[in-house]
C-alpha cells in the first residue's frame, strides 16, 4: 500500500491534537565536580523503561499523524519505493576459482557464488532462511575460508543489538555449526589452512577486548584466549594479510594503534609479536609482501598517513623506509595489497581517488600511477579484492545521484573499464545523472581555513537566492562524509532542491589532521565550519538567509544542536537521525557502552577542566528559550551507540522551551538499532522529507521565501 499506516495500538494517540508532554521530575545532579538541574534525567534510569517506552509511543504517533496529514506523505513514500525497487548487488569479488557477490531484493539479503569455469550460481547464505531456521535477525559479517569449503558468519538474534553469535556453514553439505558459548563476537578471520578461526569478543560494555582461537573440528568450549586488551580506551580487531602469511591483531583507540602479528596458519599462538608499541597519537596498520611489512602510518609532520615499509625479520625495532610520502591535497585512507602492486585509496578535497604503487620498481623512487576514474564519480568502494595474484583491481563508483557501478582497472594496460551489470541494476553511471550535476565549492571558515563543500543540484541552476537547500554535515571520528548513491534524496533534487555536503573539520576528508582540527578542544571548528558553509550558500545565491535545512546523523547531532541553540534563525528546519545530543550524560557515565572509548574524541571528564568543557559542548545542557525552526528527530530502542533516552530528553527540553509555533517531532524505531534496514530507511526517509517539503511550503506561504514553479510537482 502506498500509504503510511499507524499500528492499531497507536490509533488513540494519533487523534491527539497537542504534542506529548514528558513528565517533569526536577533533579539536582552532580558528577566530576559539575552540578546541574535536569528535569528529564528520570528517562535514563532502567527502572523507568516502561514509562519511557509509553512516551516514545505517544511521540511516534504524534509524528506520524502530523506528517500523514501533509500532501507529501503518500507521494514520497511511493517515489522512494519506486527509486529503491531495483535489486542491489555489491560488485563481484573474484577469489580463487570462484566469484562471490551479495544481493538485496526487497530487504532479502543473499550471498551467492559461481565457479569461474561454470555458469551455475549457488546461494550460500540466505537471510530469510537463517531467520526461519535459526532465528537470526541480521548478519553482521561473513568470511569465506581459503579452501572455499566453509563460510563463517555472525548472526544477530536481537534485531539492532549488534550482539552476534559465531556460525560456521559447511558449503559441501549445507550443515551449520554454532557454539552457544561463543557470543558477543565482533569480527573473525580464517587461518590460511582453513582449519582454525580467530575471533574477537566484546566485553560487557560492547568493547572488543579478547582474541580467541577455535579449531573448527574441536569440541565445544575448547577455544583458547590468546590476547586480551586491558586498556578500556582500546578495542581489537583481526584481519589476515592479503597473502595469508600473517594475521594482524590490531589494538586501536580513536587516535592510536598497536599491531601484533601471528603466523597465518595459527599453529603456534604463543609466537605473537608486536610490530611497534603504541605511542599516543600515532596510528599504523600493516600489510605483508615478500618479506616486507608495508605500513600505513600517520607518524608524519602533517599527521596524515604515508606508506612505509620494513623487513619483517628485525631484531630490536623496525627501521621504516618511506615509500609514498604524505602529499598535500591527497590524504591516504586505506590500502589493498596485490602480488606486484599496492593500491592506495585516497581522499582529495572530499572526493575519492586511487593510486597504484608498483612494488617491482625501486622503493627509493617507486613508480606510482593514478587510476583513471570517471568525472561523475564522487565515491569509491574498494571492497576486499581477495585475489592476491590478480592482474586487475575492481572498485565501485557512485555519486549522490549516480547508482553504483563496478569498474575494473588493468595493472598492465593502465586502463579502466566499466563492468556491465545485470538488467536488475537499472541505470548506472553517467547515464543515470537525471539532469543533475555536482559542483565543488571552497568555503573560507572563521580562521581562514578552506573547507570543501560539495553540491548536488539540477543542471542549469539559477543562483537567485530562491532554492531550498538541504545541508548534510557530520564532522566526527575522522570519518569522511559519504558521497555515495543516495536515492532517498532524489525527490528533493527533482523538485529543485540543492543538496549540500559540508566537509567540516572533525571528519576525514583531508586526512587525520582534519580530524584532529575538529575534535576535543578544537570541536568548535566543526560548528564554525558549518556556519561558514551556510553563509557561503547564501552569499553565492544558492538560497536566501534562513533557506537551509540541516540534516545530521549520530555524532553530527553535536553540530546541529549547537546551531539550534545559538543560531536558530540560520535554518527553517532540521532533521536529526539518532542524534548524539546529550553528550554530558553519556561522557560522564563510564558504565555506559563505549563511553571510555570516546574519551579521545570528546574528552576525559576525569582530567582538569574537561568536565566543564564537555558541559559547554553538550547541546542538551545549553538549551534556552528561543524561537526555533521545525525539527524532526529519530531514535531507536535497541540503539547501543546513542541510547533512546538521549534524543527523548532533548526533544522534551526543546519543546518545553520553544517560544514559536514550529513543530518538534520525535519518531522511534522500536525494533531497530543505530543503523536502519533498507525497508526502515525507505519509511523513515519518506517521513523526514515529507516533513521538509511541508515545512518549506509553510515558509513560502508565510512569505519568508519565494517558490519556484517546479517545486509544486
Amino acid at each position: 500500500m502506498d500509504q503510511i499506516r499507524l499500528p492499531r495500538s497507536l490509533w488513540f494517540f494519533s487523534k491527539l491534537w497537542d504534542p506529548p508532554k514528558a513528565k517533569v521530575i526536577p533533579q539536582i545532579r552532580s558528577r566530576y565536580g559539575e552540578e546541574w538541574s535536569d528535569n528529564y534525567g528520570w528517562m535514563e534510569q532502567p527502572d523507568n523503561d516502561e514509562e519511557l517506552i509509553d512516551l516514545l509511543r505517544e511521540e511516534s504517533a504524534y509524528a506520524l499523524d502530523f506528517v500523514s496529514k501533509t500532501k507529501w506523505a503518500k507521494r514520497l513514500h511511493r517515489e522512494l519505493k519506486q527509486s529503491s525497487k531495483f535489486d542491489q548487488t555489491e560488485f563481484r569479488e573474484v577469489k580463487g576459482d570462484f566469484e562471490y557477490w551479495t544481493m538485496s531484493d526487497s530487504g532479502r539479503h543473499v550471498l551467492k557464488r559461481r565457479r569461474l569455469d561454470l555458469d551455475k550460481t549457488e546461494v550460500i547464505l540466505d537471510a530469510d532462511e537463517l531467520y526461519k531456521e535459526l532465528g537470526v535477525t541480521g548478519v553482521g559479517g561473513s568470511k569465506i575460508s581459503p579452501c572455499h569449503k566453509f563460510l563463517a558468519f555472525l548472526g544477530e538474534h536481537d534485531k539492532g543489538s549488534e550482539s552476534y553469535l559465531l556460525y560456521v556453514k559447511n558449503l559441501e553439505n549445507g550443515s551449520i555449526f554454532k557454539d552457544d558459548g561463543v557470543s558477543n563476537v565482533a569480527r573473525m578471520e580464517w587461518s590460511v589452512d582453513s582449519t582454525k578461526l580467530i575471533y574477537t569478543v566484546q566485553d560487557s560494555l560492547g568493547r572488543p577486548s579478547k582474541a580467541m582461537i577455535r579449531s573448527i573440528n574441536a569440541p565445544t568450549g575448547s577455544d583458547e584466549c590468546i590476547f586480551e586488551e586491558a586498556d578500556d580506551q582500546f578495542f581489537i580487531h583481526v584481519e589476515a594479510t592479503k597473502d595469508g602469511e600473517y594475521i594482524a591483531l590490531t589494538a586501536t583507540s580513536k587516535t592510536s594503534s598497536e599491531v601484533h602479528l601471528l603466523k597465518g596458519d595459527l599453529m603456534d599462538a604463543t609466537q605473537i609479536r608486536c610490530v611497534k608499541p603504541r605511542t599516543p597519537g600515532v596510528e599504523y596498520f600493516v600489510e605483508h609482501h615478500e618479506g616486507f611489512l608495508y605500513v600505513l602510518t600517520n607518524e608524519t609532520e602533517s599527521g596524515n598517513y604515508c606508506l612505509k615499509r620494513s623487513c619483517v625479520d628485525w631484531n630490536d625495532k623496525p627501521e621504516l623506509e618511506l615509500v609514498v610520502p604524505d602529499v598535500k591535497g591527497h590524504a591516504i585512507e586505506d590500502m589493498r595489497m596485490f602480488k606486484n602492486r599496492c593500491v592506495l585509496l585516497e581522499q582529495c578535497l572530499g572526493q575519492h581517488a586511487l593510486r597504484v604503487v608498483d612494488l617491482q620498481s625501486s622503493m627509493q623512487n617507486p613508480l606510482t600511477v593514478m587510476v583513471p576514474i570517471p568525472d561523475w564519480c564522487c565515491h569509491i568502494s574498494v571492497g576486499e579484492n581477495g585475489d592476491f595474484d590478480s592482474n586487475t583491481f575492481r572498485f565501485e563508483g557512485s555519486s549522490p545521484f549516480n547508482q553504483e557501478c563496478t569498474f575494473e582497472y588493468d595493472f598492465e594496460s593502465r586502463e579502466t573499464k566499466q563492468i556491465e551489470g545485470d538488467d536488475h541494476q537499472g541505470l548506472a553511471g553517467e547515464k543515470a545523472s537525471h539532469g543533475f550535476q555536482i559542483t565543488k565549492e571552497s568555503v573560507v571558515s572563521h580562521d581562514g581555513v578552506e573547507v570543501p563543500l560539495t553540491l548536488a543540484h539540477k543542471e542549469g541552476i539559477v543562483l537567485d537566492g530562491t532554492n531550498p537547500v538541504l545541508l548534510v554535515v557530520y564532522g566526527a571520528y575522522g570519518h569522511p562524509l559519504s558521497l555515495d548513491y543516495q536515492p532517498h534524496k532524489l525527490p528533493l533534487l527533482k523538485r529543485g532542491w540543492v543538496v549540500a555536503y559540508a566537509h567540516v573539520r572533525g571528519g576525514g576528508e583531508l586526512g587525520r589532521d582534519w580530524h584532529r582540527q575538529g575534535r576535543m578542544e578544537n570541536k568548535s571548528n566543526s560548528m564554525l565550519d558549518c556556519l561558514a558553509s551556510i553563509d557561503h550558500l547564501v552569499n553565492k545565491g544558492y538560497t536566501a538567509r534562513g533557506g537551509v535545512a540541516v540534516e545530521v546523523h549520530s555524532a553530527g547531532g553535536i553540530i546541529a544542536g549547537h546551531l539550534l541553540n545559538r543560531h536558530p534563525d540560520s535554518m527553517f528546519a532540521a532533521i536529526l537521525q539518532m542524534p548524539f545530543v546529550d553528550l554530558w550524560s553519556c561522557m560522564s557515565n563510564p558504565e555506559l557502552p563505549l563511553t571510555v572509548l570516546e574519551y579521545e574524541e570528546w574528552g576525559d571528564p576525569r582530567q582538569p577542566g574537561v568536565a566543564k568543557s564537555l558541559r559547554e559542548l553538550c547541546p542538551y545542557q545549553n538549551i534556552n528559550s528561543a524561537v526555533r525552526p521545525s525539527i524532526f528527530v529519530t531514535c531507536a530502542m535497541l540503539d547501543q551507540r546513542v541510547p533512546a533516552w538521549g534524543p527523548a530528553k532533548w526533544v522534551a527540553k526543546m519543546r518545553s522551551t520553544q517560544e514559536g509555533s514550529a513543530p518538534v517531532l520525535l519518531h522511534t524505531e522500536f525494533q531497530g538499532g543505530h543503523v536502519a534496514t533498507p525497508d526502515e530507511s525507505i519509511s523513515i526517509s519518506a517521513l523526514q522529507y515529507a516533513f521538509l517539503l511541508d515545512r518549506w511550503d509553510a515558509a513560502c506561504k508565510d512569505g519568508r521565501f519565494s517558490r519556484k514553479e517546479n517545486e509544486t510537482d
Side-chain angles (χ1 to χ4, degrees):
M1 297 294 290
D2 292 327
Q3 57 183 345
I4 301 170
R5 293 186 179 276
L6 293 179
R8 187 178 296 272
S9 61
L10 300 183
W11 282 2
F12 168 76
F13 296 118
S14 71
K15 301 180 184 301
L16 297 175
W17 292 100
D18 295 324
K21 203 167 185 179
K23 180 173 64 175
V24 173
I25 302 180
Q27 290 179 287
I28 301 298
R29 308 174 67 181
S30 61
R31 288 177 187 166
Y32 298 106
E34 293 292 309
E35 187 174 276
W36 73 100
S37 175
D38 194 345
N39 288 340
Y40 306 105
W42 62 267
M43 297 186 194
E44 300 175 35
Q45 305 305 315
D47 292 345
N48 295 319
D49 278 354
E50 288 301 319
E51 195 165 0
L52 175 60
I53 290 173
D54 288 343
L55 172 65
L56 293 177
R57 290 192 184 281
E58 292 185 42
E59 289 282 6
S60 293
Y62 179 75
L64 287 168
D65 186 57
F66 184 99
V67 176
S68 66
K69 290 176 180 176
T70 71
K71 70 177 184 179
W72 298 106
K74 294 180 181 179
R75 193 179 306 180
L76 258 64
H77 194 261
R78 184 164 56 247
E79 289 182 24
L80 292 181
K81 289 284 284 186
Q82 179 70 18
S83 67
S84 304
K85 72 177 182 178
F86 297 114
D87 300 346
Q88 299 298 310
T89 302
E90 292 186 6
F91 67 92
R92 297 167 184 256
E93 298 268 13
V94 175
K95 301 179 185 178
D97 295 331
F98 291 88
E99 184 178 48
Y100 293 86
W101 67 97
T102 303
M103 292 185 64
S104 174
D105 179 7
S106 301
R108 176 174 174 259
H109 298 274
V110 296
L111 176 61
K112 296 184 178 183
R113 75 174 180 181
R114 72 172 181 89
R115 287 190 65 93
L116 296 177
D117 57 349
L118 298 174
D119 196 28
K120 183 180 179 181
T121 297
E122 174 188 7
V123 175
I124 59 176
L125 198 66
D126 187 321
D128 282 359
E129 293 302 317
L130 291 178
Y131 179 73
K132 293 174 185 176
E133 297 175 10
L134 303 171
V136 172
T137 59
V139 176
S142 61
K143 282 278 184 178
I144 195 75
S145 65
C147 69
H148 300 272
K149 295 180 180 180
F150 303 100
L151 177 72
F153 66 92
L154 302 181
E156 182 184 55
H157 285 260
D158 293 318
K159 184 171 175 283
S161 67
E162 300 186 56
S163 177
Y164 301 99
L165 298 180
L166 176 62
Y167 293 84
V168 177
K169 181 176 182 179
N170 186 320
L171 298 180
E172 294 185 323
N173 59 29
S175 62
I176 296 177
F177 172 78
K178 177 194 69 166
D179 184 342
D180 288 325
V182 182
S183 59
N184 296 321
V185 178
R187 192 178 178 92
M188 71 287 183
E189 184 61 90
W190 286 96
S191 63
V192 70
D193 60 3
S194 304
T195 63
K196 301 179 184 67
L197 279 166
I198 181 170
Y199 60 92
T200 57
V201 179
Q202 297 175 338
D203 63 16
S204 60
L205 295 179
R207 179 180 68 99
S209 59
K210 291 182 180 180
M212 310 286 293
I213 289 182
R214 76 149 39 239
S215 297
I216 60 173
N217 295 320
T220 298
S222 61
D223 297 6
E224 175 188 3
C225 178
I226 63 163
F227 185 88
E228 184 167 6
E229 175 55 56
D231 191 330
D232 290 342
Q233 294 190 55
F234 282 75
F235 63 91
I236 59 176
H237 70 270
V238 293
E239 188 166 9
T241 57
K242 191 76 166 294
D243 59 5
E245 289 291 322
Y246 294 95
I247 289 178
L249 197 161
T250 305
T252 182
S253 71
K254 297 298 182 184
T255 62
S256 308
S257 62
E258 178 181 89
V259 179
H260 299 257
L261 291 180
L262 297 89
K263 283 290 188 178
D265 57 13
L266 295 177
M267 292 298 292
D268 187 357
T270 63
Q271 296 299 311
I272 182 171
R273 181 173 58 178
C274 179
V275 174
K276 183 178 185 295
R278 66 192 66 172
T279 302
V282 175
E283 299 171 281
Y284 73 98
F285 308 93
V286 305
E287 257 292 357
H288 177 261
H289 181 270
E290 295 185 353
F292 286 91
L293 289 181
Y294 283 79
V295 183
L296 276 187
T297 176
N298 71 334
E299 202 166 13
T300 60
E301 185 176 345
S302 70
N304 290 338
Y305 287 126
C306 68
L307 179 64
K308 297 183 178 182
R309 78 168 186 172
S310 171
C311 181
V312 171
D313 299 318
W314 64 85
N315 295 320
D316 183 15
K317 62 179 182 178
E319 293 295 330
L320 295 177
E321 172 188 9
L322 182 64
V323 178
V324 178
D326 166 33
V327 179
K328 185 176 181 180
H330 284 260
I332 301 174
E333 191 174 277
D334 203 354
M335 66 176 163
R336 292 292 182 272
M337 190 65 68
F338 292 85
K339 185 176 181 179
N340 296 317
R341 280 122 178 139
C342 177
V343 178
L344 300 177
L345 177 65
E346 303 179 348
Q347 281 278 345
C348 181
L349 299 177
Q351 188 161 324
H352 276 133
L354 292 168
R355 181 191 303 268
V356 177
V357 183
D358 188 341
L359 300 180
Q360 294 178 309
S361 63
S362 169
M363 290 299 98
Q364 280 72 40
N365 186 26
L367 176 63
T368 65
V369 178
M370 298 306 297
V371 174
I373 297 172
D375 292 339
W376 58 262
C377 184
C378 297
H379 178 82
I380 291 174
S381 174
V382 295
E384 184 179 347
N385 275 276
D387 190 350
F388 180 71
D389 296 319
S390 178
N391 290 318
T392 61
F393 166 75
R394 287 188 176 185
F395 61 94
E396 197 171 64
S398 61
S399 84
F401 47 76
N402 292 109
Q403 190 172 350
E404 299 89 348
C405 56
T406 303
F407 297 93
E408 186 173 81
Y409 176 76
D410 189 298
F411 291 130
E412 298 297 335
S413 68
R414 300 182 185 176
E415 293 179 346
T416 300
K417 68 176 182 179
Q418 182 174 335
I419 304 297
E420 295 298 328
D422 298 325
D423 290 339
H424 69 264
Q425 287 183 312
L427 287 175
E430 195 167 14
K431 295 178 181 178
S433 293
H434 304 296
F436 306 131
Q437 72 178 61
I438 293 290
T439 299
K440 294 284 187 176
E441 300 271 359
S442 182
V443 175
V444 178
S445 195
H446 66 103
D447 54 359
V449 171
E450 293 188 2
V451 179
L453 181 67
T454 302
L455 309 173
H457 54 79
K458 279 187 173 182
E459 294 177 351
I461 186 173
V462 178
L463 303 183
D464 58 0
T466 64
N467 308 288
V469 173
L470 176 64
L471 181 67
V472 184
V473 65
Y474 183 70
Y477 303 117
H479 295 167
L481 193 61
S482 180
L483 297 176
D484 61 349
Y485 181 52
Q486 299 168 19
H488 299 160
K489 292 183 171 60
L490 290 178
L492 298 181
L493 290 170
K494 290 176 181 177
R495 290 172 172 85
W497 282 58
V498 176
V499 180
Y501 301 84
H503 306 288
V504 303
R505 280 172 281 186
E509 288 83 350
L510 295 177
R512 301 306 291 164
D513 186 54
W514 199 247
H515 173 221
R516 181 192 61 78
Q517 292 184 48
R519 69 177 182 89
M520 296 184 74
E521 68 274 7
N522 297 321
K523 191 61 193 174
S524 61
N525 285 331
S526 302
M527 290 74 151
L528 293 170
D529 289 352
C530 185
L531 196 61
S533 298
I534 293 175
D535 290 340
H536 180 90
L537 290 164
V538 174
N539 295 335
K540 292 280 286 188
Y542 283 100
T543 193
R545 179 68 58 186
V548 171
V550 172
E551 177 180 299
V552 299
H553 180 268
S554 193
I558 299 292
I559 297 176
H562 172 88
L563 292 178
L564 288 165
N565 285 341
R566 299 195 180 185
H567 307 278
D569 59 345
S570 64
M571 68 194 89
F572 72 90
I575 292 177
L576 294 85
Q577 304 163 344
M578 283 77 172
F580 190 34
V581 283
D582 194 2
L583 173 73
W584 173 243
S585 292
C586 290
M587 297 307 299
S588 63
N589 185 356
E591 300 302 315
L592 290 175
L594 307 181
T595 289
V596 178
L597 286 171
E598 301 287 313
Y599 284 167
E600 289 186 324
E601 181 71 23
W602 308 106
D604 183 347
R606 298 170 298 182
Q607 301 300 319
V610 175
K612 181 180 179 181
S613 297
L614 286 171
R615 279 197 62 204
E616 291 173 349
L617 181 62
C618 176
Y620 178 78
Q621 288 284 324
N622 293 281
I623 296 174
N624 294 305
S625 296
V627 176
R628 285 185 285 266
S630 302
I631 301 171
F632 191 106
V633 184
T634 65
C635 65
M637 278 304 299
L638 300 179
D639 193 334
Q640 299 300 302
R641 308 183 204 186
V642 178
W645 50 256
K649 287 177 60 181
W650 186 79
V651 164
K653 191 171 181 180
M654 290 289 279
R655 191 181 284 147
S656 70
T657 57
Q658 171 69 292
E659 293 186 343
S661 58
V664 181
L665 307 183
L666 174 61
H667 180 272
T668 302
E669 178 56 53
F670 290 95
Q671 299 299 320
H674 195 67
V675 180
T677 66
D679 287 344
E680 291 168 353
S681 184
I682 290 173
S683 297
I684 193 63
S685 294
L687 288 172
Q688 291 171 342
Y689 296 143
F691 176 78
L692 273 191
L693 289 168
D694 178 74
R695 294 296 84 202
W696 178 251
D697 285 346
C700 291
K701 287 178 182 177
D702 290 345
R704 283 182 281 166
F705 308 106
S706 301
R707 180 192 301 279
K708 290 187 175 180
E709 292 182 6
N710 58 7
E711 292 173 31
T712 61
D713 295 341

